[in-house]
Amino acid sequence: MSFGNTLELVKAAQAGGYAIPAVNIVDELSMRAVVEAAEQAKSAIILQTSVKTVKASGAEPLAFLAHYLADRSSVPVALHLDHCPDRAVITTAVNNGWSSVLFDASDRDFDDAVRETAEVCEEAHAKGLSVESEIENIVGVEDGVGSDEIKHAYSVATLVQAAQATGTDLLAPQLGTAHGLYKADPVLRFDRVSEIRKISDIPVVLHGGTGLSADDFAKFISAGVSKINISTALKLAYMKSAQAYLAECEKTGKWEPVKMFDAIKNALVTEIGAHIALFGSGGKA
Ligand SMILES: [Zn+2]
């Protein structure tokens, strides 16, 4: 299977009434596990990297492995750069074979956010990448990016106009969700997705998915969300399976890293498989 085009995958999901899972991977092991889960479910998949992961692993090795896995996979695999306010890192992704980037301009005031998003779209489109845009804050801090307070919030009409003016391909609006684990029940804004759908066909992305119920996901998808980001759920499954394995090593006195990798991989395949089932993307690729 060839390397996935993010916009095409998300447009297919939009037309088919389901959502493509976009999973934040942290290393080679999690990349392999997420692709395996997608193959088992016959779902297209988007591998996402935070800026922190790009800096930790390097853009070239990440892109190489994503292309390697995509070439050998039975399903489309795309590579997306998640929340990136740093133009230099956007350029790195553009020049290293990513499928798409999220230019996170939510820390900029409106005029700067629009001007810079247009510049990023021009740069990315020239190399065949699609651009997800975020100009209002999705609360919560993810891998060092973001804030717990809402600094910028706009009407749905303003968001859509800005997206059209800049050439944005995918829109990440504030939908009441937050990054990380919920401290209180969120007030979910299914209505904002429906409003965007009424005035535009731009695909809508849901962030902060970890902790939402199956019913919440179903409502967001039926309102018109077609890409759903999963980050915290993978981190928890990764670390807790490692913790359980290490506790077992302590008991048995046998310390075998490769077996721990297997335990982590199995936990991730199960976790991501469950999300694919919730998002309805299984059997579509
Ligand atoms: Zn996010």
Side-chain angles (χ1 to χ4, degrees):
M1 191 62 73
S2 57
F3 198 54
N5 175 305
T6 300
L7 185 59
E8 282 175 14
L9 297 180
V10 175
K11 282 277 185 192
Q14 193 173 12
Y18 60 95
I20 294 282
V23 184
N24 284 59
I25 53 83
V26 293
D27 61 3
E28 178 186 343
L29 176 60
S30 47
M31 287 174 92
R32 290 181 185 277
V34 171
V35 172
E36 191 173 314
E39 287 190 294
Q40 282 182 11
K42 297 185 168 51
S43 167
I45 197 86
I46 299 170
L47 302 174
Q48 294 191 158
T49 60
S50 69
V51 172
K52 193 175 174 184
T53 297
V54 174
K55 288 184 174 166
S57 296
E60 281 183 72
L62 286 169
F64 177 84
L65 186 58
H67 281 266
Y68 177 93
L69 292 171
D71 287 347
R72 287 155 183 80
S73 167
S74 57
V75 296
V77 177
L79 180 64
H80 177 77
L81 175 65
D82 199 20
H83 294 284
C84 183
D86 182 340
R87 296 282 296 274
V89 180
I90 295 273
T91 299
T92 299
V94 167
N95 291 333
N96 279 281
W98 254 252
S99 309
S100 49
V101 294
L102 164 49
F103 178 52
D104 186 339
S106 61
D107 60 339
R108 274 82 155 170
D109 287 334
F110 186 77
D111 289 349
D112 283 340
V114 167
R115 178 181 51 77
E116 288 197 58
T117 301
E119 289 169 7
V120 167
C121 285
E122 197 180 341
E123 179 187 2
H125 291 164
K127 291 275 183 80
L129 284 81
S130 29
V131 177
E132 181 177 334
S133 157
E134 176 182 338
I135 61 170
E136 54 180 11
N137 303 87
I138 293 164
V139 290
V141 179
E142 188 171 44
D143 280 357
V145 177
S147 162
D148 281 327
E149 83 185 272
I150 294 181
K151 290 181 210 139
H152 299 112
Y154 307 108
S155 71
V156 158
T158 301
L159 286 181
V160 169
Q161 279 162 15
Q164 287 164 345
T166 54
T168 292
D169 302 295
L170 311 165
L171 183 60
Q174 171 55 255
L175 299 174
T177 54
H179 292 126
L181 293 172
Y182 288 98
K183 292 161 194 139
D185 281 348
V187 178
L188 301 175
R189 299 295 306 271
F190 309 107
D191 58 309
R192 294 197 95 204
V193 182
S194 307
E195 276 183 58
I196 293 167
R197 280 277 72 81
K198 267 184 217 155
I199 58 172
S200 162
D201 64 357
I202 188 164
V204 178
V205 180
L206 176 67
H207 287 248
T210 300
L212 300 190
S213 69
D215 191 43
D216 294 333
F217 283 126
K219 280 193 199 157
F220 270 122
I221 294 166
S222 79
V225 160
S226 43
K227 171 177 179 272
I228 301 180
N229 292 3
I230 293 296
S231 175
T232 305
L234 181 139
K235 288 180 181 174
L236 287 174
Y238 193 117
M239 298 306 284
K240 285 182 185 287
S241 58
Q243 185 182 42
Y245 186 83
L246 290 170
E248 205 52 40
C249 295
E250 194 77 62
K251 272 193 224 156
T252 60
K254 290 177 186 159
W255 300 87
E256 180 48 66
V258 175
K259 285 192 178 168
M260 181 176 76
F261 302 156
D262 289 341
I264 294 169
K265 192 174 175 195
N266 289 339
L268 297 187
V269 169
T270 302
E271 183 69 32
I272 300 311
H275 282 91
I276 291 172
L278 288 174
F279 301 167
S281 61
K284 306 288 193 336

